[in-house]
Amino acid sequence: MPCDSCHLLLLRIPHPSPNAVFPHPSSRPPSPSISQRQVFSGPIVTLKVFEDNVLVREFLEEKGNGRVLVVDGGGSMRCAILGGNPVQQAQNNGWAGIIVNGCIRDVDEINGCDIGVRALGSHPMKANKKGYGEKHVPVNIAGTRICDGEWLYADSDGILISRTEISV
């Protein structure tokens, strides 16, 4: 269950009972979708960083093939770990969306992109560029454990995580 202090609304469909959903009433979704695509879904790729965006950029340079990058930025509100140029590249490379447990920048530029982007907020300061972080590791956002290969479904009501693909 999500924690009381987080701003992301994450719902998990537990395995093996795919019809059970457990919302947490004190969690709230991030600000309305930052990009023009409000509804998106796809298999998850995870990344854990803190105030550093080198690995974020590296991931988004790869072909996305409809995947969603889930970045646990530790909830930092001190700098942006995602900006307009990498989001544009992600759109061009076929990523379905990007979820950031942290801040982004270049909101107007991102808003013009046809890719789903959610974050805790925006910040004008750029992140460090040291390359620190962990790829393909389980991350915990809003008290929800998220792993590579799980599925993410996002719309204007929030974000749902499932261990398997579901038909919607």
Side-chain angles (χ1 to χ4, degrees), residues 83-150:
N85 290 337
V87 171
Q88 180 68 45
Q89 187 165 34
Q91 173 189 294
N92 295 341
N93 285 338
W95 288 86
I98 307 164
I99 305 293
V100 178
N101 184 25
C103 288
I104 63 165
R105 55 183 268 132
D106 306 324
V107 173
D108 290 337
E109 186 177 343
I110 291 170
N111 189 43
C113 294
D114 186 24
I115 180 174
V117 178
R118 302 281 177 93
L120 295 180
S122 63
H123 197 289
M125 193 164 86
K126 294 181 178 181
N128 295 317
K129 300 199 181 319
K130 296 181 180 179
Y132 298 144
E134 300 174 86
K135 301 177 181 182
H136 307 290
V137 295
V139 296
N140 286 293
I141 300 175
T144 300
R145 181 181 165 103
I146 304 169
C147 300
D148 257 33
E150 293 182 323

Side-chain angles (χ1 to χ4, degrees), residues 49-88:
V49 298
F50 187 73
E51 298 181 356
D52 190 309
N53 74 348
V54 170
L55 297 179
V56 175
R57 293 180 76 97
E58 284 178 8
F59 259 116
L60 299 176
E61 290 171 356
E62 300 174 8
K63 293 292 180 195
N65 300 315
R67 296 177 294 170
V68 177
L69 180 61
V70 175
V71 183
D72 182 0
S76 174
M77 302 298 283
R78 300 189 310 183
C79 67
I81 58 175
L82 182 68
N85 290 337
V87 171
Q88 180 68 45

